[in-house]
Amino acid sequence: IVSNLAIGAWAHRKATAGSFEDYALASRNLPTGVLVMTLLGTFVGGGNLLDPEWAYKHGFLQGLGNISYIIVFILVGTFLAPSLVYFNDCYTIGDLMKRFYGSIAQLFSSLIGILISLFIISSQIQTIGKVSNVIFEIDPSLAIFIFGIIIVIYSAWGGMRAITYTDVLQLMMCFFVLTLICGMLIQRIGGIQEILNAPPKKLSILSNPNFYFKLKIISFWVIFPTFLLTPPIFQRMLITQDKRKVRSLWYVSAFFYAVISIYTVLIGIGSYVGREELGLDTRINLLPRLAKSLFGEQGLAISFVFVGMIAILISTIDSFFHAMGVSIMHDLVDPIAQFFGKKSLKVEKKLLYTKFAIISVGCLCIAMALWDSSGLLTNLKYYSYAVFLYAIVLVPLIFGILGFKTDQVSLITCCITYAISIFIFYSLGWGKDSYFLPSIFLATLTYFITHIYINKGIATLTRSKLTVAERLWIPSWEGTMKQLHSWLTAPLRLPAIADRKIVTTPTQSLAFSLVMIFLYMVGSITVVDASNEALYRMAAIRGIGITLCVGLMLEGIWSKGLKPYFPMYWFFTLWYCLSFAGSLTFLQSQQGAMSIALWVGGFILLAIIVDSVTFSVLVTSGLALAFGGWRIVYGGLPEDIWQGNKMIIAVVIVVILIVGILLFSRRREEYNIKRFEWNRIAAGILAHDLRGTVQMLGGSGNTLQNAFKEGEEMNNKEGKEGYHLSKGRSLFLKNLSQHMVDKAYFARRDIASFLDFMQSQILGKFEQAEMSMKQAAKEATHKVSTQISKKVKITCPQDFTAKTLTGIFPNVIGNLLKNASTHGNAQAIEIIIDSKKRTLTIHDDGKGIPSDVLPHIFDLHYSTTKGKENSGTGLAFVRMVMEASGGKVSCYSKHGTKGSFTDFVLDFSKR
């Protein structure tokens, strides 16, 4: 508790000196490790103190519910949480509901979230009193009051930073306590074998008489993940503004929650097995009673266990306190005040009032816990009623996050259907476990049908951090066939995908080939102790790998037609050598230490070379094909795998899991991030300038050739000499430009070291200085006036200046104007300068940009135009210059329907 207060005091200085975003979401810059700990700390609370009681009663059946939670972790981390990175101006669930459905939805969702938080906090505080009373016989009311006041103080004091960093401490205590209790319990009952000898009803799942009851509970609490989407956990999803980091957060959390679940299930079954020896005559408050039985005579040990249990409870309570206070201030008080004509609060007052709100609701929760003599708070029946209300918020919210176009009519029909269905099912005498899921299903179906009716189809929004595009899909035979055709032709896009991956994560294929050939492929054959037949088989497997590696070494002489497929060849070689052939070699050998070392080493090397998604695909497919193919050909796996090497195989599996987890959670070093960022900006400017130079060279060659074409028909000596000289020069320029285009493919992967030198040379020429937006627009319009056919209108009620790279900023506007004219087929182009918002917008009424293209338009080397005349650097150049100037560029477009348009917005509001 003292440590918590100290961390709260440290975070207080940082939070009060910052903004409301810092207090509410820690400025969205917490490291992945801290986010994992705070997510688990919020999720793992008093409910997990009850898990051993459920395992005591239902046995391994309790693990079924935990597995379901793990699946939900993975699903949320894969589909839902990553989409929240596009809402970087939202702080709460109410903010999202306001964006999707308006201010009334914000107020309604906030009130329900606060109601659920009151139930959860009060029940957790009551559990603190029970644990204190069981272990140390402290008066429950005294424990509730003391611990409650301390939690309220540091939760309000330090904001999100205090909450997250104390969660790290508290989760460490959680693991310590569960490990200590589980280890001591297994030792006392005579080993884990005694747990496996428990009565069959404790070890069975499908044949367990309580299976269908447990399945109902799982459906009620897990299939619709209400607790995973409560206000504090939503806050943790909003903290992270990087998709890869979000997925890492949820996947790693799922792994650690699995470990906690194993502990709680073993504790519950072990307590049942040793109930007589341990004197456990009751299943109420099992974990504290078990701790008292195991460590009651050891004062220091029981004290640590007590502190750990309190930490488990506090990690949930402080998160809900903070989330509830922020929601009260941000979603209720401030909007209501603005509705009645009051000005929005300044940051200092908003922070102060938020802290006061946390203290107020904290005192209310403590009072509720102290005077709850009827057990209202600890009865799940009343909590489930609050969940019923919360479900009607989450269904529309999930639709909005997943990208459906939202409207208030769909929300209202969803709520009405939900209320009517619950009333009907309740009147028919159905229990809440029975009518909850059908009601949710009907409400969801009604929302979807209403959405289709209003939009005349399925309307979705394709988002990126810079763009938002609307897409309407109307079910039809032609549309379905087009979608099927898109799926069937997906392999045709693999070369482009592989090319992007190999450019963004450059590797040295030559070095890899040498290592594979001399240290891995050939060496693994020489150390194998096997029959001649096995050696021949292994030589064939490795020989194919050596041939593939030789192909990598000969990259420089690949023909022009094969060069685009080199990235795919590179990844196929990695798959074959490290994943597929490595697994076959492991199966072929006699599973000795050297074989296992080579097998595991191959996976570790693969993890170093490729990104996490590629690693997962290559490893999964390689293992499946190797083991599955071996089983089909030979009728089963080698027996040696299952005999004598169980421990080694277990170690291998653990190593592979650790490598996978590290792949999802690893981060680049700060030095490399800065270096690659500078290289990215420099590469964009250099590529853009080189593109113009290449085009100029080719154009000059054509001009010279046409200008002197009649020289061939001249009969005089001077005319013929002039023609041949000009023809030679023109061919030289054209060949030079073509050579530069051909070599650009490989130059992208080798240019990093050159860019380190060129960084100062390129950007140093363009110093940042204040520039008039109106002047920049006029200059850009004048530069491109001969290249576009439409006259550009400049609308500027009031000009403003912004610091930018003055030497090249007009080129940014010029690029966007040429893009609107050439690719957008615009009839009218307008530059709109808004001094209040500090934005410059290029608006055109062209055909718009398709929703599937829009998220990628700013990617380097992305182009929808076939051929080599487009290198995909124009819009990437625009983005890089804006980022180097401290601004940002975004695009909004409507495509393919009446009223199509495209807006490119250059935003300097943060400068």
Side-chain angles (χ1 to χ4, degrees), residues 257-269:
Y257 183 74
V259 176
I260 293 175
S261 300
I262 292 172
Y263 279 143
T264 55
V265 171
L266 289 177
I267 290 172
I269 301 177

Side-chain angles (χ1 to χ4, degrees), residues 64-323:
L64 185 64
N66 294 334
I67 292 173
S68 302
Y69 273 120
I70 294 168
I71 293 173
V72 172
F73 263 86
I74 295 172
L75 292 176
V76 170
T78 302
F79 299 106
L80 191 65
S83 298
L84 289 172
V85 302
Y86 305 128
F87 303 97
N88 56 6
D89 57 343
C90 295
Y91 299 102
T92 62
I93 292 176
D95 261 349
L96 290 167
M97 290 297 289
K98 180 181 180 181
R99 171 172 293 192
F100 296 147
Y101 304 104
S103 300
I104 301 299
Q106 178 187 25
L107 295 174
F108 181 69
S109 61
S110 302
L111 287 171
I112 297 175
I114 291 168
L115 179 63
I116 281 193
S117 299
L118 286 173
F119 276 109
I120 291 177
I121 291 173
S122 302
S123 62
Q124 300 278 305
I125 293 178
Q126 278 194 335
T127 307
I128 288 179
K130 295 176 181 178
V131 171
S132 304
N133 181 257
V134 170
I135 294 182
F136 284 132
E137 298 182 359
I138 301 173
D139 180 63
S141 299
L142 181 62
I144 288 172
F145 181 78
I146 293 175
F147 285 109
I149 290 296
I150 293 174
I151 298 169
V152 168
I153 290 173
Y154 86 80
S155 299
W157 201 2
M160 178 58 78
R161 294 186 184 274
I163 304 300
T164 52
Y165 286 106
T166 52
D167 280 345
V168 173
L169 174 67
Q170 290 151 5
L171 197 66
M172 289 171 59
M173 289 300 301
C174 169
F175 275 101
F176 170 78
V177 167
L178 292 178
T179 304
L180 183 64
I181 293 177
C182 188
M184 183 61 73
L185 174 62
I186 291 175
Q187 181 182 353
R188 283 283 296 272
I189 64 176
I192 198 167
Q193 188 63 41
E194 293 298 321
I195 294 179
L196 299 178
N197 292 332
K201 68 176 183 179
K202 299 296 179 183
L203 301 179
S204 62
I205 295 179
L206 295 177
S207 59
N208 192 304
N210 296 309
F211 173 75
Y212 291 105
F213 169 76
K214 190 64 179 177
L215 195 60
K216 270 190 177 182
I217 299 297
I218 291 171
S219 301
F220 186 81
W221 297 105
V222 181
I223 291 179
F224 189 76
T226 51
F227 194 87
L228 270 179
L229 302 177
T230 46
I233 295 183
F234 242 100
Q235 274 188 316
R236 277 132 188 89
M237 287 194 273
L238 290 169
I239 288 176
T240 311
Q241 291 300 302
D242 178 78
K243 281 191 173 184
R244 182 176 299 178
K245 199 173 180 181
V246 168
R247 292 191 177 98
S248 301
L249 165 66
W250 285 87
Y251 296 158
V252 177
S253 298
F255 172 79
F256 282 110
Y257 183 74
V259 176
I260 293 175
S261 300
I262 292 172
Y263 279 143
T264 55
V265 171
L266 289 177
I267 290 172
I269 301 177
S271 299
Y272 180 84
V273 171
R275 61 191 182 281
E276 296 180 358
E277 179 185 350
L278 297 170
L280 298 175
D281 55 351
T282 178
R283 288 168 291 176
I284 306 300
N285 300 321
L286 175 65
L287 199 61
R289 292 182 186 278
L290 175 63
K292 184 73 175 294
S293 176
L294 291 173
F295 306 104
E297 304 300 325
Q298 306 173 40
L300 184 60
I302 193 65
S303 297
F304 271 111
V305 170
F306 171 72
V307 171
M309 290 186 186
I310 297 299
I312 295 172
L313 294 163
I314 290 177
S315 62
T316 300
I317 297 171
D318 56 12
S319 299
F320 274 91
F321 269 146
H322 177 262

